[in-house]
Amino acid sequence: MSDEDAERSDTRRLPTLDKTPDGADGATPSGADTPATGAAGHDRVRRFRSARRVPAALVALVLLAAAGLLLYDVAAVRAGRPAMAWRRWLARELGTRHLDNPWVLGAAALAVVLGIWLVVSAVTPGLRQVLPMRPAAPDIRAGLDRAAAALVLRDRAMEVAGVQSVRVAVSRRKAKTRAVSHFRELDEVRADLDTSLGEGLRQLGLAHELRLTVDVRRPKKR
């Protein structure tokens, strides 16, 4: 066997990707990055839920203290001791004041507002500052802070020619941009901002597309 034959036996032909008639590749490399499609792409991306440890802890401590104090007073009365002054005052006030009294109405309104706040805090997700992103894998969830998204969009807006300053505010559904242009036509600057920021929003990879609004003005005369 010659050196040329040995070199041919050790050399392997690399696999090639044949084009299909419609122009798509006949095979896909296993390590290639592919967008999340299929079942994962159709699943509804939910917002991140807050643990709400501080409100829950405060409410639990207040209720525990009030229940403990009331239970101690009831047990003291059963043991033959007089009731606490606050409970005697409360019983006297409840027995003499009518339902249309301003203090009674105010206390009832405060209790209603507190109850509504507790219910809303229990059923809403919270973490309004975190925007959910498109899932890259079934078991992975990612989120982007609204301030970070606004900073990225602001940096892209500052790269547009003619933009002197810009302010970006990102909410759960909108991305509001207010730019100041010191040269070029305002329509041209606005069109470039629409293109640049629209591409920036797509590159953020958010699960819910934000509605972009762009406002371009001239600097104020001093």
Side-chain angles (χ1 to χ4, degrees), residues 87-135:
R87 212 177 85 158
R88 294 197 302 268
W89 173 84
L90 182 61
R92 184 173 60 254
E93 292 294 327
L94 291 177
T96 56
R97 293 183 181 272
H98 300 285
L99 295 179
D100 57 350
N101 188 275
W103 287 100
V104 177
L105 296 177
L110 179 62
V112 170
V113 172
L114 181 60
I116 293 175
W117 175 73
L118 292 176
V119 171
V120 172
S121 299
V123 300
T124 53
L127 292 181
R128 300 176 62 88
Q129 295 296 327
V130 180
L131 299 174
M133 303 178 67
R134 290 191 297 268

Side-chain angles (χ1 to χ4, degrees), residues 105-173:
L105 296 177
L110 179 62
V112 170
V113 172
L114 181 60
I116 293 175
W117 175 73
L118 292 176
V119 171
V120 172
S121 299
V123 300
T124 53
L127 292 181
R128 300 176 62 88
Q129 295 296 327
V130 180
L131 299 174
M133 303 178 67
R134 290 191 297 268
D139 298 332
I140 297 179
R141 294 186 64 196
L144 180 64
D145 189 79
R146 281 160 49 180
L151 183 60
V152 172
L153 296 178
R154 177 186 176 276
D155 291 342
R156 290 186 67 95
M158 290 299 298
E159 295 177 356
V160 175
V163 175
Q164 182 181 13
S165 63
V166 63
R167 296 178 60 184
V168 180
V170 176
S171 62
R172 288 176 52 197
R173 297 180 177 87

Side-chain angles (χ1 to χ4, degrees), residues 187-206:
D187 293 339
E188 296 179 357
V189 177
R190 186 180 296 106
D192 291 346
L193 285 174
D194 287 335
T195 303
S196 178
L197 296 181
E199 181 65 23
L201 286 175
R202 287 188 291 271
Q203 292 180 359
L204 290 179
L206 300 178

